[in-house]
Amino acid sequence: MSDYYDAFEMSPVPAPGPDAVPPEPFRGIYGMPAFVTIPTSDLAASVDFWVRGLGFIELFSIPGSVVHLRRWAFQDVLLVPAASVPEQAPAMSVSFACVLSQIDSLAEACRALRPNSVDGPRDTPWTTRDVEVITPENARVVFTAAKPFDPASPEARNLAAVGITPPGFARGDNEDHA
């Protein structure tokens, strides 16, 4: 028996597809289930890159202490002042969902602001198209967009082999959950 079940209704991420429309930035205040804190030695430059390059909004700021950025619900970043930042990006990354129509424009916007900051886009074995960006703070940020599901693809077979099938496709014992 599989413990996986369809719970997409709790996510702001739209169903994958070439016509998927991204949600508007979420301006509500909620208890954040997860967030990223990123130290920066130039708060203004960091805010500018995250807003103009990565598509975040400035939700609020406490001058000299923190700038709270957000895209969709549950995509929260806190920029905090620091004396310095690492000289190179760590191997670790943080990923944010987006839709396919945003990948190329996000990469172009980041390249326009920081020419050598972008790697990709590239397709993954788990049915996404990703672009990796190194921010001015040397954070490694990945934007990932789900590609349309092809049940005959190698990616679909790999996912099915570990018990993950999409709604409406041979769900087996997953359909009684939730």
Side-chain angles (χ1 to χ4, degrees):
M1 180 174 125
S2 172
D3 291 333
Y4 302 114
Y5 56 90
D6 177 5
F8 278 85
E9 72 278 356
M10 65 184 289
S11 173
V13 180
D19 298 327
V21 176
E24 291 295 318
F26 189 81
R27 297 178 182 275
I29 301 297
Y30 52 74
M32 297 183 298
F35 58 93
V36 179
T37 302
I38 299 183
T40 175
S41 56
D42 187 340
L43 200 53
S46 292
V47 169
D48 183 61
F49 185 83
W50 282 80
V51 169
R52 292 193 311 135
L54 300 175
F56 281 74
I57 61 165
E58 186 175 329
L59 188 63
F60 69 85
S61 65
I62 299 172
S65 296
V66 65
V67 176
H68 186 152
L69 304 173
R70 180 177 295 149
R71 287 180 76 245
W72 304 350
F74 313 120
Q75 293 186 341
D76 294 278
V77 172
L78 304 180
L79 296 175
V80 295
S84 64
V85 297
E87 289 189 30
Q88 64 182 22
M92 186 187 93
S93 64
V94 60
S95 296
F96 294 100
C98 63
V99 297
L100 283 171
S101 64
Q102 294 178 305
I103 289 285
D104 290 337
S105 60
L106 187 139
E108 290 169 15
C110 290
R111 282 187 179 111
L113 294 168
R114 298 188 76 222
N116 297 317
S117 64
V118 178
D119 182 20
R122 66 180 167 276
D123 292 339
T124 69
W126 46 90
T127 69
T128 65
R129 180 161 298 138
D130 293 1
V131 64
E132 181 179 279
V133 178
I134 305 300
T135 69
E137 315 79 31
N138 281 324
R140 186 179 306 276
V141 179
V142 176
F143 280 81
T144 183
K147 296 185 320 189
F149 186 76
D150 175 1
S153 69
E155 294 90 349
R157 288 189 295 279
N158 292 339
L159 292 171
V162 296
I164 300 173
T165 57
F169 288 95
R171 292 172 35 140
D173 64 354
N174 290 345
E175 58 196 33
D176 293 333
H177 293 285

